[in-house]
Amino acid sequence: MQCPACTEKFSARKIKKVRDVQQGMEFQCPHCSVWLFNEPKMVKLKMFGALVMLVSAVSSFFVHNEQLLQALSWVTFSGAIIALFAIYKGKLIKA
């Protein structure tokens, strides 16, 4: 992760202070002590992708039709791609 205030890179393991607010989880930069949070649009996109992946993976256990099972596999894969896109393209914003 890179802090938008001080442009220092840090890992998630170095985060010591976290607080829960209305926008989601905020955490403090270990270098400059500025409070940061993830871009809300990307957090929603990540949750959507994870939900699509979870629902299609669980529902594939109950399907016996081969064509539908293959379609659900593609939907699961698409959900994973959406979630990963949101994780890697999401940016940190100053609180």
Side-chain angles (χ1 to χ4, degrees):
M1 290 186 259
Q2 186 173 6
C3 177
C6 66
T7 65
E8 289 286 330
K9 291 186 178 183
F10 60 93
S11 66
R13 292 182 178 182
K14 292 186 178 180
I15 297 172
K16 301 292 182 209
K17 295 183 180 178
V18 179
R19 65 182 179 192
D20 190 16
V21 293
Q22 260 188 341
Q23 300 140 332
M25 298 298 290
E26 289 184 356
F27 51 91
Q28 202 170 25
C29 174
H31 300 285
C32 66
S33 301
V34 172
W35 287 96
L36 307 168
F37 66 98
N38 290 315
E39 193 175 5
K41 188 188 300 184
M42 288 298 177
V43 171
K44 288 178 185 175
L45 188 63
K46 177 179 71 172
M47 295 303 287
F48 173 74
L51 183 65
V52 166
M53 185 174 61
L54 178 70
V55 169
S56 61
V58 170
S59 63
S60 68
F61 285 112
F62 304 106
V63 173
H64 301 294
N65 185 350
E66 193 66 33
Q67 287 180 330
L68 188 56
L69 190 60
Q70 187 176 11
L72 282 173
S73 297
W74 281 106
V75 172
T76 304
F77 181 71
S78 300
I81 295 297
I82 290 169
L84 287 173
F85 172 78
I87 289 170
Y88 287 115
K89 290 297 181 179
K91 295 179 182 170
L92 297 176
I93 300 173
K94 287 190 243 180

